Amino acid sequence: PKPQTPNPKPRTLKISESFRLCIKSEAKIITKGMGDTDVNLNIMMVGDSSVGKTSLLMRFIDEKFEETSPTVGIDYMRKTIDIGGIKVLTRFWDSAGTEKFSSMAENTFKNTAGVVLVYDVTCRESFKQLRFWLYKIREKSRQNVKIMLIGNKIDLIEKREVSSEEGSKYASENELFFMECSAKSDEEGNVPEAFNVLVQESYKVQKDVHTQRMSIAKPILPARTLSHAPSHESNGKKCC
């Protein structure tokens, strides 16, 4: 078999170059606060403990890297993003990487339009655990939830245990978006690209769901048949 390069170039799955340009032009970040928003969106961060979920989120929200301690329970950050003139307040829910889901986490999943599923490319065990996390996501979330698979820590070249090809194959088999990146360095800007793609796709889901609900809620009036005035029977008589 063809040998793997020590540092394979990060690749995306199902994201065309024209779509990338569309994302860069339409998904414009405005502010981290609430502000005046048109749409609320929930995105869930999922994956084993210490794979870098919080670091990825901070890289996207604050555009910086900080060493963080493991998340306890569930926390969230928010950012308002402009998509084609629509201000989308996006809440990113950062969950602890444990197998125990609190009732709050499960309720969050029910209202989630997108999920960031993260593994550590230097830890094969975190890659093996994707099967468990993906099962939980699809068990608790809506049927059409969008999922972005991220392989984090690609800056640790010599410690890599999971190849780019393995991640891409897993994403393809399970119909996920895919991106490899480094929350620490992010030299190629893959972190904001991955998040922006997911927000864009999740927004489409949210809009479709809202449209369906509105169509269901709208009362359907019974069809009316216009009847002609009844004709007078002559009974052989003539009007005088």
Side-chain angles (χ1 to χ4, degrees):
K2 185 178 180 180
Q4 300 284 339
T5 56
N7 184 23
K9 185 178 180 180
R11 298 181 300 165
T12 58
L13 183 70
K14 299 181 181 177
I15 304 174
S16 65
E17 187 62 30
S18 59
F19 185 63
R20 290 189 187 187
L21 294 175
C22 176
I23 290 294
K24 290 179 180 179
S25 63
E26 292 193 6
K28 180 182 178 183
I29 297 171
I30 301 177
T31 176
K32 292 181 291 182
M34 294 286 285
D36 296 326
T37 56
D38 302 312
V39 179
N40 292 329
L41 200 65
N42 288 312
I43 304 290
M44 194 80 173
M45 304 291 295
V46 177
D48 274 11
S49 179
S50 300
V51 295
K53 299 186 298 294
T54 303
S55 296
L56 284 168
L57 195 50
M58 291 186 67
R59 168 63 70 179
F60 177 61
I61 300 290
D62 297 324
E63 300 181 4
K64 64 181 181 180
F65 174 79
E66 289 183 4
E67 296 288 348
T68 61
S69 57
T71 303
V72 178
I74 186 169
D75 196 4
Y76 83 94
M77 302 180 191
R78 66 194 180 203
K79 200 162 194 172
T80 302
I81 301 175
D82 188 306
I83 301 179
I86 304 297
K87 295 180 181 180
V88 181
L89 174 61
T90 309
R91 294 184 179 89
F92 296 92
W93 297 89
D94 189 9
S95 63
T98 62
E99 296 187 5
K100 295 181 180 180
F101 278 76
S102 65
S103 59
M104 181 183 294
E106 292 189 4
N107 289 333
T108 303
F109 265 112
K110 294 176 183 178
N111 298 311
T112 294
V115 176
V116 180
L117 177 58
V118 185
Y119 69 95
D120 179 354
V121 299
T122 70
C123 177
R124 179 160 291 277
E125 186 59 31
S126 70
F127 184 74
K128 291 180 179 179
Q129 281 290 95
L130 291 179
R131 181 179 179 183
F132 164 79
W133 292 115
L134 192 56
Y135 171 79
K136 281 293 183 182
I137 292 169
R138 288 178 169 162
E139 178 188 33
K140 304 296 181 181
S141 303
R142 60 182 60 165
Q143 187 175 3
N144 55 352
V145 66
K146 299 297 180 180
I147 305 172
M148 171 66 74
L149 177 64
I150 293 183
N152 191 27
K153 305 186 182 181
I154 61 171
D155 56 295
L156 304 176
I157 301 172
E158 297 180 355
K159 296 183 178 181
R160 179 187 278 268
E161 295 182 359
V162 183
S163 70
S164 179
E165 286 74 15
E166 288 178 283
S168 179
K169 180 181 178 182
Y170 187 87
S172 179
E173 291 173 346
N174 292 279
E175 299 182 345
L176 316 175
F177 293 103
F178 175 63
M179 181 75 77
E180 283 192 331
C181 54
S182 168
K184 186 174 184 178
S185 61
D186 195 34
E187 296 177 355
E188 298 191 18
N190 290 343
V191 174
E193 181 176 357
F195 277 86
N196 283 331
V197 166
L198 182 63
V199 170
Q200 179 91 354
E201 290 298 299
S202 300
Y203 167 69
K204 291 178 183 178
V205 171
Q206 189 86 340
K207 186 169 66 172
D208 291 342
V209 170
H210 178 72
T211 301
Q212 291 174 4
R213 287 177 178 174
M214 290 298 292
S215 64
I216 293 174
K218 185 177 181 181
I220 301 176
L221 298 177
R224 292 191 306 164
T225 302
L226 296 177
S227 57
H228 297 285
S231 58
H232 293 282
E233 294 182 3
S234 61
N235 292 326
K237 297 181 180 180
K238 294 181 180 182
C239 180
C240 55

